[in-house]
Amino acid sequence: MRILIPIVMFSLLAFFGCSNSSMPSTSTTTFFPLQPGEHWVYSITDFDSLGQVLRVRLDTITVLTASSALRPGWMPLVHSNQEFLYDTNWMLMRTDGLWQWPRYDPSPSLLCKYPTTVGDTFGLVENFPIDTSGPFTAAFIKTVSTAKQITTPAGTFTCIEYACLKEQLDRNSSAVTHTDTISTRLLSPGVGDIDFRYYYPAGYPKHVQEWLLIAR
């Protein structure tokens, strides 16, 4: 399962997609800066389940000039780190928020709802197993906070916090029996992604991967 950095972050749930026919119109809001030349430098740290650091490296994400005839108007964001070289992601602001179109996905999806309020949910995907007696799951993105403060080497920012959640529900009552956090992201309007954390399933050597903005 790949991860496409903060800006690409929830792409690991690429199934959060909408058909082209349902897409809202484009927007000129500066919620997420997508001008060519915009860039963000991140420190990427892998932690084990005890919080011990396993690995640290850097990556710079840069917005290039739109060039794809197949994705007109979409702005490509590319990585400097060879580890993420093939994780090019195209971004576009629409009236309902920031959309993404990862390199290998057949259609775009809403990445961050904006404007948004605490408690908003979007990108719902339900999975009903073949075993009709077992539970089913629902994955979605939720706005957790609209005024989360965070300080990094790049400065102090007020952010919107989004969480990607996966719930297990009882098939008969639809009651939630278990909730897992898949990822969280802190996005500062007008600046970009400040902090992103992906939580790996049990059994992986690394437990958390954090992308932290250190420079722009």
Side-chain angles (χ1 to χ4, degrees):
M1 185 176 293
R2 71 182 186 283
I3 302 178
L4 309 179
I5 60 327
I7 232 162
V8 179
M9 276 8 202
F10 288 124
S11 131
L12 43 99
L13 288 181
F15 46 63
F16 286 163
C18 297
S19 65
N20 292 354
S21 61
S22 65
M23 286 186 188
S25 58
T26 57
S27 170
T28 57
T29 179
T30 56
F31 169 65
F32 194 97
L34 288 174
Q35 295 75 29
E38 288 279 0
H39 65 279
W40 303 263
V41 182
Y42 293 95
S43 173
I44 308 159
T45 306
D46 294 337
F47 299 90
D48 66 16
S49 59
L50 298 177
Q52 300 297 311
V53 175
L54 299 175
R55 185 184 178 200
V56 180
R57 62 274 200 207
L58 300 177
D59 185 35
T60 298
I61 299 173
T62 303
V63 181
L64 301 183
T65 301
S67 59
S68 175
L70 298 177
R71 301 179 180 185
W74 291 78
M75 304 301 291
L77 287 83
V78 298
H79 300 261
S80 64
N81 191 309
Q82 292 292 314
E83 180 179 349
F84 310 102
L85 186 62
Y86 294 101
D87 289 336
T88 301
N89 195 38
W90 279 260
M91 313 291 285
L92 182 68
M93 278 302 305
R94 294 188 179 278
T95 53
D96 63 344
L98 178 66
W99 284 65
Q100 68 167 357
W101 197 343
R103 180 175 184 172
Y104 297 107
D105 290 350
S107 61
S109 58
L110 178 61
L111 181 64
C112 293
K113 184 179 180 181
Y114 186 81
T116 188
T117 58
V118 174
D120 281 348
T121 60
F122 56 99
L124 174 66
V125 172
E126 296 181 321
N127 178 35
F128 295 88
I130 296 176
D131 178 7
T132 57
S133 63
F136 66 93
T137 59
F140 55 91
I141 301 172
K142 181 177 183 178
T143 302
V144 177
S145 172
T146 56
K148 183 73 172 285
Q149 294 283 328
I150 182 173
T151 298
T152 80
T156 298
F157 305 92
T158 300
C159 302
I160 298 174
E161 181 177 7
Y162 299 94
C164 185
L165 306 173
K166 181 180 180 180
E167 293 182 340
Q168 182 171 292
L169 301 93
D170 181 87
R171 179 178 290 274
N172 297 316
S173 66
S174 294
V176 177
T177 59
H178 183 76
T179 300
D180 287 316
T181 298
I182 298 174
S183 61
T184 60
R185 68 186 298 153
L186 297 178
L187 192 156
S188 181
V191 179
D193 288 291
I194 308 302
D195 182 271
F196 174 84
R197 300 185 185 195
Y198 175 68
Y199 299 88
Y200 284 82
Y204 278 74
K206 52 188 173 184
H207 180 63
V208 179
Q209 183 175 93
E210 178 185 33
W211 293 68
L212 186 69
L213 181 70
I214 60 174
R216 294 191 68 211

